[in-house]
Amino acid sequence: MDSHADKLSGAVQELESPDRIRELETQVSQLQQAVTSHAVIDQAIGVIVAVGRMTPDEAWDALRETSMCTNVKLRHVAELVVAWGQGGRDLAAEVRDVLSRRLKSREPQ
C-alpha cells in the first residue's frame, strides 16, 4: 500500500514535469488575458451606459452586436470604445456607425 509520502512524491514529480509546467504556464497566461479582457469590456460598458443612457445589460448587448456586425473581436471593440470615451481617439467608422445605430434605437421617440 502506498504511503502518504509516496503519493506526495509522485504528485511533486508530476508538477515538476516540463510538460505539466508548460501546461500550467499556458493556463496562467490565458487566465491573465481573460481578466484583462474582462476589465476592458466592463470599462466599455460603463462608457456606453453613460453616453447612451442605457442599462449595463443593454450596453453589453450593444458591444456584442457591434462586434458581431463589424466582425471585430469584442475586446478590440471595447478597447476602441474606452479610448474614445477618454477622448483619446475617434472610433473607427464601421464601429462608430453600428454603435451609433444601436444607441439611437434606445433614444426616446
Side-chain angles (χ1 to χ4, degrees):
M1 183 179 269
D2 288 338
S3 71
H4 290 295
D6 291 339
K7 288 180 183 177
L8 180 60
S9 176
V12 168
Q13 287 175 353
E14 180 185 333
L15 285 175
E16 290 178 346
S17 79
D19 290 340
R20 181 68 176 147
I21 290 171
R22 275 191 295 281
E23 179 183 319
L24 291 172
E25 287 172 342
T26 299
Q27 195 172 32
V28 167
S29 176
Q30 290 169 344
L31 289 170
Q32 288 172 329
Q33 232 175 352
V35 167
T36 301
S37 290
H38 194 276
V40 169
I41 291 167
D42 283 346
Q43 292 168 6
I45 288 171
V47 170
I48 294 171
V49 164
V51 170
R53 295 185 180 134
M54 52 178 55
T55 68
D57 285 341
E58 292 168 331
W60 161 249
D61 289 341
L63 267 181
R64 188 175 44 82
E65 181 181 299
T66 301
S67 173
M68 289 187 311
C69 290
T70 59
N71 200 27
V72 175
K73 289 191 180 278
L74 181 64
R75 178 185 174 164
H76 188 62
V77 170
E79 290 169 342
L80 293 171
V81 169
V82 169
W84 171 76
Q86 294 171 334
R89 66 173 107 145
D90 292 332
L91 281 171
E94 189 177 22
V95 170
R96 182 189 63 236
D97 293 346
V98 172
L99 191 54
S100 178
R101 280 195 307 274
R102 180 69 179 190
L103 295 176
K104 284 181 184 175
S105 73
R106 292 285 310 142
E107 289 179 358
Q109 302 296 319

